[in-house]
Amino acid sequence: MLRSLWILPLVAACGGPVRPEVAEDPVPLSRLRFNQLALRLNLPLYWIDDANESGAPDPSEIATLAFYASAPRWTESGRFTDAFEDAYAAIQREDGETATSPRLQSVHQELGSVAPTLLHAELGDLPGPHQQFAEAMLQVGSEIDALYALQVGMTALSERVADDPASQSLFRRNWGPQCRSPLTESNPACSAIEGAPKQSVDVYPREMQEERYFCVQLEERADAADLLGPFTVVRADGDSLAAVPYHEAYAPQMGAIAEHLDRAREAIAQDPAEGALVAYLQAAAQAFRDNQWEPADEAWSRMNARNSSWYVRVAPDEVYWDPCSHKAGFHLTFARIDSGSLVWQDRLNPLQQTMEESLASLVDDEVYQARDASFHMPDFIAIVANFGDDRDPFGATIGQSLPNWGPVAEEGRGRTVAMTNLYTDGDSLARRRTTSASLFTEATMAHYTDDSAPGLMSTILHEATHNLGPASEYRVGGRSDEEIFGGGMASMLEELKAQSGALYFVSLLQERGLLTEAQARETYVDSIAWALGHISRGMYTPSGWRKAYSQLSAIQVGFLMNEGVITFDEAAFAANGTDRGAFNLDLERFPDAVGRMMTEVMRIKGAGDKTAAEALAARYVDSDVVPMSLITERHQRQPRASFVFSIVTE
């Protein structure tokens, strides 16, 4: 069973030379190559930067990573340890090594296609109660990782992983043996296990998952509502199927999580200012014991950026990991509150009803009528660490609105967050600019910025739109969107609604003086750059399931191309001056076209029009309207971010 281990101080028990000893004439390694090879060797080692431009790592530039099976200490008192010397020599040797089999070659290709990207958290200077709380929450996270590994079917395959470090590393990082990058995910040989066995999730009977369309078969059953409940697993009982609650199916794991939550609550209760967090931790612990998540959601909904210095969400929530998009995956988001959100909350809270009525005005009353809008505008949070379903092999969630079910969601009382410390490092910004300059014309790149504000604004509006229009509680003829569209299509349409809102409401904020024209245009360009990135990841998983963000992005770009506000000229030079074939955005006409797109999405969602939804996907996802191959090729020139974590607790 895979568990996360925490890397505590960045000091070691033994000294060593200031500079690492390597071969007499080593080939200089870039930081990126160093970190990729450390990943390939399954070493919890990261070269942060080259501040002095020496071309080689210095002790102050090294971090030790979490989520590995060991925790070596690489430095002590400003000097390298023997462990680092050995690791550095191994990295130098590995740079010239060639894989011995097609399977291992493909594993190396996958690991070499990523850019390990550091999220570093310093928790050692916290007040005593908060430090004790943080340490207890890291233990909660360790148990969440173990439970999620079981849930996704990783644990069942752990003993079959090849014993080479690259395979071990891929298995650990990817939550299983399959390769996940666009370059390798369709390669049947690319696996951490010889023979590339299929990874069956634990929430459905394994034999059932051998059927390609088993999700559809479940959705069409008379007892589908019971079997596909988000907080249950489906178990075979002879020839029949039964829904088993999570707390029964995973009793030992959930009980351990509850105990650690109790310890976290006892620690933070020493701070009288953290009463809201104490109440949530108590309710969350009980939910892990009885599978009743609504009381925990109620307590969680009463937390905000003004009554706690922490953001904690520990629960089963999102369904994207599930091939059928019905079962909630266990996760822990552990973060510090970024008080910068308070300014935007004060600006946007008065506009909630206006935003709701604006969406409703796009369609007839028979399709959708405005309701009272009352929800939390996004809190800004800085991630300390992600656990379980939160920690993806590639990238990370930059915004989220929860919960997805129950009275808190149905009454618009959930919480929305935007993560402010993701993709803000210099390496990520440089890669994104280089890729964008290969896809946009010079005229469009004039409105591109490295500032994080446009992306943050898009995230705020995306998450707000999840709470507007036909949302989770909306029913058409008494049926939910999952019942109408099926799980995969329903998930994609909800994300399409949210991201279309991220474009649609830009003009409203500009009209209210909250964005300048220049800022509005930067936000449009940033959002399309985001969409092109998701298009590059492919439309379907190797098993044929929809990729929600990729498909919504193809629909948006394709729709706006048909509207003429995004044009692709095969002969035009991109802004980098070398690539031919580039996208140009007519930003003057953008708001009107976005309004027509939002209208179509509202009509489909509000009317429960499955035929129109499938036609929309066929028109832009399953066609050549969008030049997907070209987008993919240019994105694949740059390695994709894969977040790694360093956590210092003393």
Side-chain angles (χ1 to χ4, degrees):
M1 186 174 294
L2 188 73
R3 294 177 182 268
S4 301
L5 299 181
W6 316 116
I7 308 309
L8 304 181
L10 300 184
V11 295
C14 57
V18 172
R19 307 295 293 174
E21 293 183 356
V22 295
E24 290 185 5
D25 296 308
V27 177
L29 293 176
S30 68
R31 283 192 302 111
L32 174 61
R33 183 63 174 163
F34 177 99
N35 290 328
Q36 288 173 332
L37 290 170
L39 174 66
R40 197 161 99 181
L41 289 169
N42 206 22
L43 293 170
L45 174 62
Y46 189 86
W47 183 4
I48 303 169
D49 57 25
D50 190 14
N52 60 6
E53 299 183 349
S54 66
D58 289 300
S60 62
E61 299 168 350
I62 291 297
T64 311
L65 301 180
F67 307 119
Y68 282 75
S70 63
R73 297 177 182 241
W74 305 120
T75 65
E76 179 189 46
S77 302
R79 300 174 68 84
F80 286 119
T81 65
D82 292 343
F84 179 83
E85 289 185 53
D86 292 342
Y88 192 78
I91 288 171
Q92 290 280 357
R93 290 193 300 271
E94 187 68 17
D95 190 40
E97 292 294 319
T98 302
T100 56
S101 69
R103 181 195 68 79
L104 194 54
Q105 288 172 7
S106 63
V107 169
H108 284 188
Q109 183 184 19
E110 159 111 350
L111 297 177
S113 72
V114 309
T117 303
L118 184 68
L119 286 180
H120 179 69
E122 291 277 355
L123 304 179
D125 59 353
L126 294 171
H130 286 257
Q131 190 167 14
Q132 295 166 25
F133 160 75
E135 290 171 349
M137 289 307 303
L138 295 180
Q139 291 299 317
V140 172
S142 181
E143 298 292 345
I144 287 288
D145 277 357
L147 175 53
Y148 184 65
L150 177 61
Q151 189 179 31
V152 300
M154 178 186 186
T155 305
L157 294 172
S158 60
E159 294 184 358
R160 300 174 61 184
V161 181
D163 61 6
D164 64 277
S167 297
Q168 295 282 338
S169 185
L170 184 141
F171 185 77
R172 170 189 53 76
R173 189 188 72 111
N174 286 12
W175 294 104
Q178 290 101 333
C179 291
R180 300 293 188 187
S181 81
L183 288 170
T184 54
E185 67 177 357
S186 297
N187 179 354
C190 196
S191 173
I193 300 176
E194 291 286 352
K198 179 181 177 181
Q199 181 173 337
S200 298
V201 296
D202 186 67
V203 293
Y204 306 108
R206 184 169 303 166
E207 298 76 14
M208 175 177 287
Q209 295 174 61
E210 297 301 320
E211 295 287 336
R212 180 175 176 82
Y213 298 106
F214 81 94
C215 295
V216 176
Q217 294 171 7
L218 281 171
E219 290 168 351
E220 292 177 347
R221 288 173 60 106
D223 57 352
D226 291 332
L227 292 177
L228 297 178
F231 309 125
T232 66
V233 302
V234 179
R235 295 288 187 245
D237 183 10
D239 293 331
S240 62
L241 299 176
V244 179
Y246 275 170
H247 72 301
E248 295 179 12
Y250 303 125
Q253 295 80 10
M254 293 178 70
I257 291 167
E259 291 178 4
H260 287 299
L261 286 170
D262 287 340
R263 283 191 277 275
R265 172 180 54 79
E266 291 166 359
I268 201 65
Q270 300 173 70
D271 183 347
E274 291 288 350
L277 176 55
V278 169
Y280 172 58
L281 293 172
Q282 183 172 0
Q286 184 59 37
F288 274 90
R289 291 184 169 104
D290 62 16
N291 208 39
Q292 300 301 307
W293 301 99
E294 292 178 9
D297 289 341
E298 292 287 351
W300 185 69
S301 72
R302 290 190 283 272
M303 291 184 65
N304 55 57
R306 289 179 166 87
N307 65 16
S308 180
S309 59
W310 295 94
Y311 177 85
V312 175
R313 176 68 180 181
V314 55
D317 276 312
E318 300 288 18
V319 300
Y320 302 115
W321 67 278
D322 170 16
C324 301
S325 297
H326 287 284
K327 302 297 182 181
F330 286 96
H331 73 114
L332 165 62
T333 309
F334 186 43
R336 307 285 296 275
I337 290 292
D338 179 345
S339 60
S341 57
L342 301 179
V343 173
W344 275 108
Q345 287 176 5
D346 291 340
R347 291 174 180 173
L348 295 178
N349 276 329
L351 295 180
Q352 289 187 20
Q353 193 61 39
T354 299
M355 295 166 74
E356 168 69 10
E357 291 172 358
S358 178
L359 287 184
S361 71
L362 297 174
V363 293
D364 295 337
D365 288 349
E366 292 78 12
V367 174
Y368 181 78
Q369 296 183 31
R371 55 189 173 84
D372 291 337
S374 178
F375 57 93
H376 295 297
M377 279 293 181
D379 291 328
F380 292 175
I381 63 174
I383 297 294
V384 172
N386 289 326
F387 303 88
D389 193 33
D390 277 352
R391 196 171 67 253
D392 295 324
F394 291 97
T397 298
I398 58 176
Q400 197 167 41
S401 293
L402 295 171
N404 292 320
W405 302 277
V408 171
E410 294 170 1
E411 296 165 14
R413 296 185 286 111
R415 294 184 68 186
T416 298
V417 292
M419 292 67 168
T420 60
N421 63 333
L422 302 179
Y423 302 103
T424 57
D425 61 289
D427 294 336
S428 294
L429 294 175
R431 287 192 297 269
R432 192 170 193 259
R433 174 172 281 275
T434 297
T435 300
S436 295
S438 75
L439 286 165
F440 290 136
T441 62
E442 186 174 356
T444 295
M445 277 299 289
H447 301 281
Y448 181 95
T449 178
D450 292 327
D451 193 304
S452 62
L456 188 57
M457 177 54 58
S458 181
T459 300
I460 291 169
L461 295 177
H462 176 111
E463 298 304 330
T465 308
H466 273 309
N467 299 280
L468 299 169
S472 59
E473 82 289 354
Y474 194 71
R475 299 291 185 271
V476 179
R479 302 172 69 207
S480 69
D481 58 352
E482 288 187 349
E483 292 171 324
I484 294 168
F485 299 109
M489 177 65 83
S491 294
M492 188 274 285
L493 287 174
E494 177 57 26
E495 295 301 335
L496 174 61
K497 183 198 76 173
Q499 187 58 21
S500 296
L503 294 171
Y504 175 72
F505 288 121
V506 168
S507 59
L508 172 64
L509 299 190
Q510 186 181 349
E511 291 168 5
R512 296 301 178 100
L514 299 178
L515 292 177
T516 65
E517 180 179 338
Q519 290 170 330
R521 293 186 172 195
E522 288 172 352
T523 303
Y524 288 137
V525 172
D526 186 273
S527 295
I528 298 305
W530 176 92
L532 296 178
H534 279 283
I535 288 171
S536 75
R537 301 172 191 180
M539 298 293 110
Y540 297 91
T541 70
S543 299
W545 309 113
R546 295 182 187 277
K547 293 184 177 180
Y549 289 100
S550 296
Q551 294 202 6
L552 82 83
S553 298
I555 290 170
Q556 285 193 330
V557 171
F559 188 101
L560 295 174
M561 288 177 70
N562 278 352
E563 289 287 321
V565 298
I566 297 179
T567 55
F568 177 75
D569 185 344
E570 293 182 354
F573 274 111
N576 62 12
T578 56
D579 283 303
R580 279 193 179 272
F583 291 93
N584 191 70
L585 275 59
D586 184 342
L587 297 171
E588 187 73 28
R589 296 169 53 214
F590 224 73
D592 287 342
V594 166
R596 288 188 286 275
M597 180 172 66
M598 189 80 246
T599 299
E600 179 65 4
V601 175
M602 280 289 294
R603 193 196 67 75
I604 290 173
K605 285 269 292 180
D609 192 340
K610 182 177 181 179
T611 299
E614 292 175 341
L616 191 68
R619 189 177 312 135
Y620 300 119
V621 172
D622 303 319
S623 73
D624 59 359
V625 171
V626 180
M628 296 183 190
S629 297
L630 178 141
I631 294 167
T632 299
E633 185 275 324
R634 293 186 190 173
H635 266 273
Q636 288 180 352
R637 297 174 187 172
Q638 299 292 325
R640 284 183 61 191
S642 180
F643 284 101
V644 295
F645 299 81
S646 173
I647 307 165
V648 179
T649 62
E650 62 180 45

